[in-house]
Amino acid sequence: MTNSFAEFAKAKMIFVIGSNMTEAHPVAASFVKQAVLAGAPLFVADPRRTALADMAEQHIPIRVGSDVAFLNGLMSVLITEDLYDKAYVESRCNGFEELRTKVLEYPPERAAEISGVSAETIRTVARRLASVKPVMLMYTLGITEHTCGVNNVLSCANLQMLLGNVGFECGGVNPLRGQNNVQGACDMGALPNVFPGYQRVDNAEARAKFEKAWGVTSLPDKPGIMIPQMLEGLASGKIKAFYIFGENLANTEPDIRHVEHCLESAEFIVCHDIFPTETTRFAHVIFPAAAWSENDGTFTNSERRISRVRTASPPPGEAKPNWWIFREIARRMGHMWPSKSAREIWDNEVSVLAPSMAGVKYNRIRGNGLQWPVPHEEHPGTPTLHKHRFTSGLGKLVPVEWTPPAEVPDSKYPLVLSTGRRLYHYHTRTQTGRAAGLNDLLSEETADISPLDAAELGIGHGEMIRVASRRGEVKVKANVSDRIPKGVVWMAFHFREACANWLTNPVFDPVSQTAEYKACAVRIEKT
Amino acid sequence: MSGATFTLNGRSVPFKLGQSILDAARDNGVHIPTLCYLKGLAPSGACRICLVEVKGARSLMAACSTPVAPEMDVATETPRVHEARRLNTELLLAAGRHDCLLCEANGDCGLQELAYRYKVDGSSFPKRDDFHPVEDINPFIVRDFSRCILCGRCVQACNQLVVNRAISHGYRGKGSKIVTGGDTPYHQSDCVFCGQCLEVCPTGALTEKKLRGQGRPWETKRIRTTCPYCGVGCQMWLYVKDNRIVKVTAVEGAAPNDGRLCVKGRFGYDFIYSEERLKTPLIRENGHFREASWDEALNLVASKFGEVIEKHGPDAIAGVSCARSINEDSYQMQKLFRAVFKTNNIDHCART
């Protein structure tokens, strides 16, 4: 996020797109709702009428996968009606002419045709967004989990820059991250193209720095591959050994049947986990790991805040911290790593090697932690990014074209399946399924469908139905809900048997390799 | 208007315009007891414990809902104030069934503290025994209405802080009760089990089911940590007794969550004690897993990776790190891949 959670409650106007915050990020949502109670108008763009939409000045029910067209439509109004922030765009951004040309190809009438909301709504929303400054924009996976995910993100950024809303308190572009430490895993360089602190592996200087620090030579200079390519590599035989640390890929990746085929093809799989999972079934060696409250360490949240994690109890049996396991493998391959605790790893390695975290030391993060960039030890941290100037100089406006989802409904599969998370469980329930009480509140998956589709197909609320896609099918209870628009089926991936990922489409954004979990074609029928 | 002052217990002290007597007193180091006040939310003035004497006022004033005026003369600890607080505490005690011996809030109860401070036990008034039945049917929160003092804190927290709007004041007079819509149990209502009501309840009216019989407040030690679920990164206190977490609360006033948690953060911690935890390294042999020593398993992995690198090159290895585990773990894994295996084939579920 460019900004911080504390700013949500103080925001003057809020635009939420593709985020079911009350279920996936309930505490973040509480700040948004407080802002609304304090008078901030809220706009929610989402195919579903989410709980947050109930509190909105306007819910904008765009069609699944039409985000770029809708956002381009808003921007075309801002430009044609002269409502954008000219001074900001001129002094702080580049690429305006190219953006202008592109978005003018999306007048409200065309954007309306693609997005399913009226041209009048698009005009009204654009005018309202331009009427207050700054507007705070939040998005979540409704934006990213598309084959055009990167373009969706760029469009959000384009809109906020055009409105002159980036670089201010209570403004900015704010993706809410799904996992407690997904930000941190990125920051630490668990990505194929960067070392810790986003220093590129194809930069010779960066490699030389890490070679020196790690006491090694010839670090690989070519960016590696991402998860979908790894799975394909297993199937094709290119990847022989696969190391899975704390992920349940057999449930979380699209098209479970195919994913399991890939995992089966591996010559050697190592897993670290705290429980046996659908994925550890494919392992050749499983290491028992210390869980959350059995570790000392740090997490980094969505607002780039590095906070402490502390040990409450020892791990069971012989389970060990993950950092220790990696260190032991390195040792057995001839590498002696000096750091003997999470604190030593952070203080002596991470903060020394990653300039944006240079000022973060364990003795500085006892209380509320610090938000990177923290370039030196006297620096107080950075709650708001891009103040006065963009980190990279000028804000880049990037024209983007709308593209439909890879698989759209047809006569055989006439509905769109969109997926996500529900309040009472977390991902594949490895943890929440074993916490007393949560299963009582949500004990099974449902397929959420609109009353209109239900009536057309004669499906009653709570009746078992079959949901089928080109990848597979599941039997699941129908949840007939007026929060779902006609033509959409909505499911989560918390329960194995009726997991949405038996159905989802393994197609990916060409840049980010994010799967299109939010859109594939399905058919539903009574069982 | 800076520099405004008022008189607090005979001292001239500063205050901010619009501040309540209670807030201004706290800023000046004077603690006024209260059961219903919640910092940052509109005062309800319900409990009548924060009464203070204001010179020239006809009656005692509720410090939480009376704004300070310049030159106001406030006394917080006078015989008259004490008498009123004593009486009000006595009435609150008599109106409920406050049997501390069996109460989970024993030792962490605002009413108990006041009873102790003002030396009252509620015996001056006839006791009630016609209470709404205890709600023990939902999975997480026991609602014991015989211990509810109707301070309204839970209603305020639910409606103004987390804005879930699941509960409000219901019925009238002696039948008054904090109710969900239609007075259904929590799990059949709009309640989303964030437990904020629990967090702010000053008595044992709302207690955690999981805590029952697990430990008294003075038996637990408190450890601050970060929630293991979504990317908000809420700050929480773990209450630990004999190496076991028995309760979780939000860290008051801390960033980013400002004293809030959700259902997963507050109640979803006990998976770590599941009997299904992996406890020893396992090696697959003939389609079955068998227990192995760390040495055997680690040696096997090191030699197998060495073999693959030798035969097929480093890029025949790929790995996925964990977005749930600590930073230091991800750092180590990418270091292992880059510095030891010599491949950049390291990723995690960064995009989902």
Side-chain angles (χ1 to χ4, degrees), chain A residues 24 26 30-31 33-34 37 55 145 177-182 184-186 188-192 194-196 201 214 217-220 222 224-227 230 238-243 245-247 268 273-276 280-281 283-289 291-294 296 298-303 305 307-313 316 318 320 322-323 326 332-333 335 337 342 345 349-350 353 362 367-368 423-424 426 431 434-437 441 512 514 517, chain B residues 139-140 159-165 187 191-193 210 223-236 238 240 243 245 254-258 260-264 268-274 276-284 289 294-295 297-302 304-306 308 312 315-352:
Chain A
S30 75
F31 294 121
K33 292 186 281 187
Q34 277 194 305
L37 290 191
M55 290 192 77
E145 287 184 347
R177 311 223 55 171
Q179 289 101 343
N180 55 330
N181 202 37
V182 67
C186 292
M188 292 304 108
L191 291 172
V194 289
F195 292 114
V201 297
W214 291 342
T217 53
S218 56
L219 284 174
K222 190 168 80 5
I225 53 175
M226 300 192 213
I227 293 174
M230 291 175 183
K238 226 180 107 189
I239 301 294
K240 304 290 180 195
F242 195 27
Y243 202 140
F245 164 25
E247 293 278 332
F268 189 64
D273 220 307
I274 61 172
F275 290 110
T280 61
R281 290 182 295 139
H284 297 82
V285 176
I286 306 173
F287 290 127
W292 161 61
S293 58
E294 296 154 1
D296 269 319
T298 54
F299 289 157
T300 306
N301 77 351
S302 297
E303 53 176 9
R305 184 185 301 278
S307 301
R308 280 296 314 275
V309 178
R310 292 184 177 86
T311 305
S313 54
E318 294 174 39
K320 295 277 190 194
N322 297 287
W323 61 262
F326 295 124
R332 280 154 218 262
M333 294 179 80
H335 294 249
W337 291 351
I345 293 168
E349 301 193 44
V350 177
L353 291 166
Y362 267 42
N368 283 346
L423 176 65
Y424 293 117
Y426 189 86
Q431 294 177 187
R434 293 176 171 102
L441 294 173
S512 71
T514 301
Y517 291 105
Chain B
F140 294 124
N159 288 280
Q160 291 177 42
L161 197 69
V162 290
V163 201
N164 288 323
R165 304 196 277 199
H187 63 294
C191 171
V192 290
F193 288 96
K210 284 190 192 189
I223 296 170
R224 180 169 170 168
T225 198
T226 306
C227 178
Y229 287 107
C230 83
V232 176
C234 292
Q235 293 300 295
M236 46 171 54
L238 306 178
V240 180
N243 275 335
I245 302 170
N257 47 313
D258 193 22
R260 307 143 201 231
L261 292 174
C262 78
V263 59
K264 294 187 282 287
Y269 57 84
D270 44 335
F271 66 90
I272 52 175
Y273 305 118
S274 161
E276 295 170 275
R277 281 290 298 275
L278 291 167
K279 296 186 186 83
T280 59
L282 299 171
I283 293 176
R284 186 157 74 176
F289 286 105
W294 274 103
D295 265 331
L298 287 164
N299 285 336
L300 173 64
V301 169
K304 187 74 197 174
F305 280 135
V308 169
H312 306 282
D315 287 341
I317 301 178
V320 179
S321 188
C322 177
R324 317 270 294 120
S325 195
I326 53 174
N327 281 319
E328 293 78 359
D329 290 343
S330 271
Y331 173 84
Q332 292 284 87
M333 186 174 186
Q334 62 86 37
K335 184 176 173 183
L336 178 70
F337 269 65
R338 295 190 161 114
V340 179
F341 299 166
K342 297 284 165 66
T343 178
N344 283 315
N345 287 345
I346 172 81
D347 197 12
H348 73 286
C349 58
R351 302 147 206 103
T352 54

Side-chain angles (χ1 to χ4, degrees), chain A residues 187 197-198 300-301 303-307 346 350-365 368-385 391:
Chain A
D187 300 346
Y198 303 96
T300 306
N301 77 351
E303 53 176 9
R304 300 163 278 105
R305 184 185 301 278
I306 300 153
S307 301
W346 185 281
V350 177
S351 75
V352 173
L353 291 166
S356 56
M357 291 166 253
V360 183
K361 300 284 183 189
Y362 267 42
N363 66 11
R364 288 196 70 200
I365 50 173
N368 283 346
L370 285 166
Q371 289 173 276
W372 67 255
V374 192
H376 54 80
E377 284 185 48
E378 279 72 49
H379 195 283
T382 312
T384 307
L385 292 179
T391 310

Side-chain angles (χ1 to χ4, degrees), chain A residues 421-500:
Chain A
R421 282 95 173 138
R422 298 183 197 272
L423 176 65
Y424 293 117
H425 282 296
Y426 189 86
H427 288 199
T428 63
R429 283 172 63 251
T430 315
Q431 294 177 187
T432 51
R434 293 176 171 102
L438 291 169
N439 286 331
D440 300 336
L441 294 173
L442 182 67
S443 57
E444 62 183 331
E445 187 53 86
T446 59
D448 302 353
I449 57 173
S450 96
L452 297 168
D453 288 322
E456 213 166 275
L457 295 162
I459 295 168
H461 182 70
E463 201 176 312
M464 287 302 280
I465 59 170
R466 187 179 292 118
V467 185
S469 78
R470 288 184 176 85
R471 273 71 53 194
E473 61 172 59
V474 297
K475 274 192 200 167
V476 63
K477 241 182 215 170
N479 170 33
V480 180
S481 161
D482 59 9
R483 293 189 177 277
I484 309 292
K486 182 170 164 49
V488 171
V489 180
W490 197 94
M491 292 175 68
F493 62 108
H494 302 309
F495 294 86
R496 170 75 176 179
E497 293 71 28
C499 178

Side-chain angles (χ1 to χ4, degrees), chain A residues 404-409 413 416 469-471 503 505 507 516 519-522:
Chain A
E407 190 181 63
V408 293
Y413 297 96
V416 177
S469 78
R470 288 184 176 85
R471 273 71 53 194
L503 309 167
N505 194 7
V507 288
E516 194 150 60
C520 73
V522 294

